[in-house]
Amino acid sequence: MRNYQLGKILFPFLIILLVVTCIYLYLPKHSDANQTFANKPVIVSAVNVTMQTQSIDLESLGTSRANEAIFIKSAQNDYVTEVFFNDGDIVKKGQVLVQLNSEQEKSAVAELQINLKEEQRQLNRLTELAKSQATAKSLLEEQRSKFEATQVQLASATIKLAEMTITAPFSGRLGQRLISPGAFITSANEITTLDDISTIKVDFNVPEKYLAALKPNMVVTAKSPAYPDITFSGVLSNISSRINPATRSVPVTASFDNKNQQLRSGMLLHTFVKLSEFNAILVPEKAIIPIENQHFVYVVENGLANRKEVTILQRLHGQVAIAQGLSEGQQVVTEGIIKIRPGSSVEVKGDAQ
């Protein structure tokens, strides 16, 4: 009985002794393992930052229109005798497009030319008689009025005759032909369209807050879904004198040289106005660590990750322009940031890009 009680008393002491012995034997090895783990470099990705020239672009959507665009119509009502163009023809200024029946107008001009010659002859005769006072001055003035009236009538008839021949008022590309020979047309009938697309103008809106930054001849680039691999370059040609009170935006126009005739009137274009350019160090946006109102990056120096505060100048489509805090050529960690702390030993995976 006494041995049993003694065993109960010694048993807890034996357990405690066993635990202390295990801790003693295990702790040095565990500490060594922790030390080894702590000294193992963390694998990260990094980039070498460089100084680059960047532009601040203002993006908008615009609609294109031709430099000149009209509907060709006739000033006179008559039958079409000849049509000198086909759908989509490129024409020069003054090129004849349509001829109307002009026989009556030609006869009227010829008759007035004869009458004018006769009025001229009578005026010359009365002028000579007036020198010898053989005729009254009132007859001379009356004849002069007849001569001048005939001149006006001839000029009017000549204009009407010219209007029977319809010509291109400027060079450009014709649209669909809407008439045929023998048709009777009036001034209300559309004959075709004519567009001068040697220069394409694009109208778009710019927010009011950028008004002070807009200047004539600023560089404007544009992209079209029709030509995804082509960037068109133009200039800002007009800034409206008024701001739309409903949208608080200012209408502007950009002009693009269109020698290749790729752009057409009515196309939707994505426009980019280059507001300014600057030189700055760029880092990927994912490398930035925001802490309250401050921003930091990890810079790899001598195999260690050092946290440095930076000042952001501008955010640009996945890149951040740095105003202060970095120097060209430094390595900035971009991946593995959550695994490191200031002073952590790191190893850059592969070559820094």
Side-chain angles (χ1 to χ4, degrees):
M1 185 67 179
R2 180 180 297 179
N3 291 336
Y4 174 75
Q5 292 179 346
L6 183 62
K8 289 178 63 178
I9 296 172
L10 292 177
F11 182 75
F13 290 101
L14 292 174
I15 295 297
I16 294 173
L17 180 61
L18 180 62
V19 170
V20 171
T21 302
C22 291
I23 292 175
Y24 175 78
L25 295 175
Y26 173 75
L27 184 59
K29 296 180 180 179
H30 182 67
S31 298
D32 291 343
N34 284 340
Q35 187 67 30
T36 302
F37 177 78
N39 291 334
K40 185 178 180 181
V42 178
I43 304 299
V44 297
S45 296
V47 295
N48 290 326
V49 296
T50 58
M51 185 74 69
Q52 299 182 29
T53 300
Q54 291 292 318
S55 62
I56 299 178
D57 295 334
L58 181 63
E59 184 177 355
S60 184
L61 288 175
T63 302
S64 64
R65 58 183 172 90
N67 186 43
E68 304 287 353
I70 61 169
F71 289 99
I72 300 292
K73 295 184 178 182
S74 172
Q76 301 295 330
N77 305 334
D78 218 311
Y79 288 96
V80 176
T81 58
E82 292 183 273
V83 178
F84 300 98
F85 71 93
N86 291 312
D87 297 345
D89 279 357
I90 297 177
V91 296
K92 298 293 185 180
K93 180 180 179 179
Q95 183 173 329
V96 177
L97 304 178
V98 178
Q99 179 63 55
L100 302 182
N101 183 11
S102 59
E103 295 303 319
Q104 184 176 349
E105 285 71 22
K106 288 179 181 179
S107 299
V109 169
E111 181 181 358
L112 287 170
Q113 287 174 337
I114 294 172
N115 292 342
L116 186 63
K117 289 181 180 179
E118 177 60 22
E119 299 295 347
Q120 179 71 63
R121 189 183 67 80
Q122 290 293 340
L123 180 61
N124 292 339
R125 183 179 66 83
L126 290 175
T127 301
E128 291 298 325
L129 291 176
K131 292 178 181 179
S132 61
Q133 298 182 351
T135 184
K137 289 186 178 181
S138 59
L139 291 178
L140 178 61
E141 294 299 328
E142 181 180 351
Q143 184 59 38
R144 182 175 286 110
S145 296
K146 290 182 180 180
F147 173 74
E148 292 175 353
T150 305
Q151 277 185 315
V152 173
Q153 291 173 5
L154 177 59
S156 178
T158 302
I159 292 174
K160 186 175 181 181
L161 176 61
E163 289 176 343
M164 306 305 286
T165 302
I166 301 171
T167 60
F170 53 83
S171 300
R173 182 186 292 272
L174 296 173
Q176 183 181 8
R177 193 181 80 175
L178 302 176
I179 62 167
S180 299
F184 183 85
I185 63 173
T186 68
S187 58
N189 295 121
E190 294 178 2
I191 297 173
T192 187
T193 58
L194 176 61
D195 296 308
D196 173 14
I197 57 174
S198 59
T199 297
I200 284 291
K201 296 179 179 179
V202 180
D203 299 318
F204 56 98
N205 295 313
V206 172
E208 177 185 359
K209 65 179 181 179
Y210 295 110
L211 178 61
L214 297 177
K215 299 291 184 293
N217 298 319
M218 292 181 73
V219 175
V220 181
T221 56
K223 299 280 290 184
S224 169
Y227 306 101
D229 299 327
I230 299 177
T231 299
F232 300 94
S233 181
V235 295
L236 197 64
S237 55
N238 179 62
I239 303 170
S240 177
S241 60
R242 298 183 179 183
I243 293 178
N244 188 328
T247 61
R248 295 301 174 189
S249 60
V250 54
V252 298
T253 301
S255 297
F256 295 83
D257 188 12
N258 193 35
K259 291 181 180 178
N260 296 329
Q261 308 281 297
Q262 292 174 304
L263 297 176
R264 300 295 176 89
S265 179
M267 294 179 70
L268 177 68
L269 295 174
H270 296 264
T271 59
F272 304 86
V273 181
K274 184 179 291 186
L275 295 180
S276 63
E277 285 187 339
F278 60 90
N279 292 324
I281 290 176
L282 294 185
V283 300
E285 193 168 18
K286 61 184 178 180
I288 301 296
I289 306 169
I291 300 178
E292 294 183 352
N293 295 327
Q294 297 175 302
H295 298 86
F296 299 88
V297 296
Y298 277 111
V299 177
V300 179
E301 296 175 328
N302 299 322
L304 300 178
N306 296 321
R307 192 172 71 179
K308 290 194 174 184
E309 183 179 357
V310 294
T311 302
I312 293 178
L313 177 64
Q314 186 78 26
R315 294 184 183 269
L316 304 163
H317 304 293
Q319 298 284 322
V320 177
I322 303 300
Q324 293 179 344
L326 288 177
S327 300
E328 189 172 10
Q330 288 185 306
Q331 276 190 322
V332 174
V333 177
T334 57
E335 295 181 7
I337 295 174
I338 62 175
K339 298 184 293 183
I340 58 178
R341 297 292 182 269
S344 295
S345 177
V346 296
E347 179 182 341
V348 177
K349 180 176 61 178
D351 296 329
Q353 299 177 348

